[in-house]
Amino acid sequence: QAVERDIAVVVAEAVTHDALMQAIRSTAAAKGLLRDAVLFDIYRPQPLRDGAVAAAGALAQGEKSMAVRLSFQSDSATLTDEQVEPAVRAIVEQLGAKLGGRLRG
């Protein structure tokens, strides 16, 4: 049975779908467990009006949020949170290192 986790990663507008998927799939800690990664949403902030200030923690101009559903599965046993969570953390770290991405809060 597959275990799914959704993550939303804030990246520069220039980051492509292909670059995101390559970074996810190249994460060594997830190999063997990650079965699929599917982009299901892209969010871009609305342009600010003259004189307006973005809320604390909001996406900056030139950034977008890409939401991905990660599916993990093992051929030998049902996965536990203790097995899946390190793989998710490793993917997020890889996205940070390769693409300058961060989890959307």
Side-chain angles (χ1 to χ4, degrees):
Q1 182 172 342
V3 175
E4 294 182 339
R5 294 288 188 273
D6 292 345
I7 60 171
V9 182
V10 177
V11 293
E13 184 64 44
V15 173
T16 65
H17 171 264
D18 188 49
L20 182 78
M21 292 300 139
Q22 283 182 7
I24 290 170
R25 291 195 173 99
S26 70
T27 305
K31 290 193 189 233
L33 295 181
L34 183 66
R35 293 292 186 252
D36 199 15
V38 177
L39 179 70
F40 67 88
D41 186 47
I42 297 176
Y43 171 77
R44 292 177 174 91
Q46 296 295 321
L48 294 175
R49 295 189 176 138
D50 290 337
V53 178
L59 273 65
Q61 293 300 312
E63 289 184 326
K64 64 184 172 186
S65 172
M66 300 178 84
V68 180
R69 177 158 295 131
L70 305 170
S71 297
F72 299 91
Q73 191 168 6
S74 171
D75 294 332
S76 60
T78 300
L79 294 174
T80 65
D81 285 341
E82 291 76 24
Q83 293 168 301
V84 173
E85 293 309 318
V88 173
R89 279 193 305 274
I91 288 170
V92 171
E93 289 171 8
Q94 181 84 331
L95 293 172
K98 286 198 168 185
L99 305 176
R102 68 182 188 280
L103 275 183
R104 183 173 173 193

